[in-house]
């Protein structure tokens, strides 16, 4: 599952593994918050450092214009957006990519627990700018 040519592949593999375990145990049909709580527990067991419901600044032309909470910020570098839908649509993918751009994070994941089989996508921010804005004072579990 780890593809070394992908940035942060070891971390994304752990996130996917934790998500698979949650889906295996809970199946589909619960509200998103139930999967979020279970994934919180499972990622802790996997030894990942993360923040749940992490408030992130939203920038426009390098000026902060507001904030939005990301479901998980993992290891301070990967945003994880959860869904509990029978089928994800292009709008959900676009939303997750827009968040990456607004947060200026390079890598993100969109995970859907609502389908019969777990669905996940690894996302890359095509507009990522190295160290333009840094995430200040992260409070991440495990640190």
């Amino acid at each position: 599952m780890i593809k070394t040519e992908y940035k942060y592949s070891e971390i994304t593999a752990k996130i996917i593994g934790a998500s698979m375990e949650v889906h295996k145990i809970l199946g589909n049909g619960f509200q998103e918050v139930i999967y979020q709580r279970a994934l919180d527990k499972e990622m802790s067991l996997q030894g990942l450092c993360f923040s749940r419901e992490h408030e992130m600044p939203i920038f426009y032309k390098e000026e902060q214009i507001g904030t939005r909470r990301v479901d998980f910020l993992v290891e301070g570098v990967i945003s994880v957006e959860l869904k509990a839908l029978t089928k994800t649509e292009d709008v959900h993918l676009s939303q997750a990519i827009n968040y990456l751009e607004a947060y200026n994070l390079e890598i993100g994941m969109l995970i859907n627990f609502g389908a019969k089989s777990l669905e996940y996508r690894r996302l890359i921010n095509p507009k990522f700018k190295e160290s333009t804005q840094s995430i200040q004072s992260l409070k991440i579990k495990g640190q």
Side-chain angles (χ1 to χ4, degrees):
M1 194 182 318
I2 298 174
K3 294 189 176 184
T4 55
E5 68 270 19
Y6 294 148
K7 193 166 189 179
Y8 306 127
S9 62
E10 189 173 316
I11 299 168
T12 57
K14 283 184 177 183
I15 295 167
I16 293 165
S19 300
M20 287 179 167
E21 181 67 10
V22 167
H23 197 271
K24 180 176 85 174
I25 292 171
L26 294 179
N28 62 331
F30 291 101
Q31 293 178 327
E32 184 179 309
V33 69
I34 297 300
Y35 296 110
Q36 190 182 72
R37 290 173 186 160
L39 189 57
D40 181 300
K41 302 289 183 202
E42 193 60 39
M43 287 197 305
S44 290
L45 292 171
Q46 296 287 331
L48 289 165
C49 295
F50 62 90
S51 176
R52 185 174 139 200
E53 292 284 326
H54 188 83
E55 193 159 320
M56 298 283 291
I58 304 295
F59 292 92
Y60 177 77
K61 294 189 175 183
E62 305 206 15
E63 183 178 330
Q64 185 175 338
I65 59 170
T67 60
R68 195 226 172 248
R69 292 180 189 263
V70 62
D71 290 330
F72 290 96
L73 181 65
V74 181
E75 301 290 340
V77 294
I78 298 172
S79 72
V80 178
E81 287 294 325
L82 303 184
K83 299 293 179 193
L85 306 165
T86 54
K87 181 173 173 37
T88 56
E89 299 182 18
D90 289 343
V91 66
H92 303 115
L93 181 60
S94 295
Q95 180 184 45
I97 291 171
N98 285 341
Y99 291 156
L100 278 182
E101 292 173 1
Y103 304 150
N104 194 40
L105 290 173
E106 188 173 10
I107 305 295
M109 298 199 67
L110 176 61
I111 300 172
N112 182 30
F113 289 96
K116 287 188 179 187
S117 295
L118 181 75
E119 298 173 344
Y120 57 90
R121 299 274 307 260
R122 184 179 191 280
L123 310 170
I124 299 172
N125 177 0
K127 297 179 181 177
F128 176 72
K129 295 177 188 148
E130 195 77 43
S131 69
T132 305
Q133 293 290 339
S134 63
I135 301 166
Q136 302 290 324
S137 63
L138 292 177
K139 293 179 182 170
I140 297 179
K141 287 185 179 184
Q143 284 189 341

